[in-house]
Amino acid sequence: MTNYCITPPPVISLPIIGTSDRFPVRRIYCVGKNYKNHVVEMGGDPKRSTPIFFTKSRETIVQSKSDIPYPPLTENLHFEVELVVAMASATDIFGYGVGIDMTRRDIQAGAKSKGGPWDMAKNFDNSAPCSALLPSTQTPDITRAGIRLTKNGEIMQNSDLDKMIWSVEEIITHLSASVTLGAGDLIFTGTPEGVGPVSIGDKITGEIDALPPISVHFIND
Ligand code: MN
């Protein structure tokens, strides 16, 4: 038996629809610029876009229906609703969920202007709310499915997965050329247009047709 000098960190996991088993999260990869209209709203040129990837730590996962303390060092915390792909192996998909790629937009803008890394804009405490997962065996065709985000009941983002520039299969192919994907990895596949800020007291809900929703509420820290 191995003795550890500190208590090993807990396994981070997500619920699975239809079973009490849970999905243990390994790594989180995120795709930037995967919907043309979002690239445009961020001031980019969609014709010249290629898939870009960044990461979040698994500890950034937040379960649905949680309260999230408004994070420090930002005055422009944004929501980005995204399809989440959960990997069963390097090549096989376990299931799908709905995630919200929370972004400290002001820190991201500062990093972009300096050509610096995005980490502190994307990979901070509670920055990856994610729904329960629906096993792929129970998931209908999601190459075309409505994707929405509501804030306090008002629709802020409203698009369709068929607007993704890079399909799930293409994303997995691109990522696999760069790293060896593995069981437990999550891929946040990018957000459509309509991203915007949240304030303390706001409740946001991300939905994709046929998938379980993700809902979180922002509170004063
Ligand atoms: Mn995103």
Side-chain angles (χ1 to χ4, degrees):
M1 180 182 146
T2 304
N3 288 309
Y4 295 101
C5 61
I6 55 170
T7 305
V11 173
I12 307 291
S13 65
L14 289 168
I16 301 165
I17 297 297
T19 172
S20 59
D21 291 355
R22 295 182 67 91
F23 181 88
V25 177
R26 184 182 179 226
R27 300 178 297 187
I28 305 175
Y29 288 99
C30 305
V31 183
K33 302 184 177 180
N34 201 25
Y35 290 77
K36 178 181 164 200
N37 289 345
H38 174 60
V39 177
V40 170
E41 79 179 346
M42 296 301 290
D45 177 357
K47 292 198 191 76
R48 294 170 50 203
S49 290
T50 54
I52 57 163
F53 298 102
F54 58 92
T55 60
K56 292 181 188 254
S57 308
R58 58 177 165 260
E59 289 78 10
T60 63
I61 291 281
V62 179
Q63 312 288 322
S64 193
K65 299 185 178 164
S66 296
D67 288 335
I68 298 180
Y70 194 90
L73 300 180
T74 184
E75 293 176 355
N76 200 18
L77 177 68
H78 272 207
F79 51 77
E80 298 187 354
V81 65
E82 311 198 355
L83 170 70
V84 175
V85 178
M87 301 302 293
S89 72
T91 52
D92 298 320
I93 295 171
F94 171 80
Y96 302 93
V98 184
I100 308 177
D101 167 18
M102 297 306 303
T103 303
R104 293 193 282 207
R105 194 70 74 199
D106 36 8
I107 292 180
Q108 186 190 37
K112 280 182 175 175
S113 70
K114 293 186 191 116
W118 289 16
D119 296 56
M120 291 301 110
K122 291 289 194 179
N123 189 2
F124 55 94
D125 295 350
N126 303 311
S127 64
C130 190
S131 74
L133 301 176
L134 185 65
S136 54
T137 51
Q138 299 169 41
T139 305
D141 178 18
I142 53 159
T143 54
R144 184 165 194 182
I147 177 170
R148 292 170 296 282
L149 183 134
T150 61
K151 182 169 82 171
N152 305 324
E154 183 184 351
I155 293 180
M156 310 301 290
Q157 292 187 270
N158 190 11
S159 186
D160 195 288
L161 298 181
D162 71 0
K163 302 279 200 305
M164 287 170 62
I165 295 169
W166 304 94
S167 69
V168 168
E169 290 70 24
E170 289 169 328
I171 289 166
I172 290 171
T173 299
H174 275 275
L175 254 181
S176 297
S178 184
V179 296
T180 305
L181 287 172
D185 289 348
L186 297 181
I187 307 170
F188 280 56
T189 57
T191 196
E193 71 276 15
V195 302
V198 298
S199 303
I200 291 165
D202 285 346
K203 179 184 171 186
I204 57 175
T205 301
E207 299 172 297
I208 293 174
D209 295 343
L211 296 181
I214 171 69
S215 239
V216 291
H217 171 234
F218 289 86
I219 60 171
N220 213 322
D221 62 355

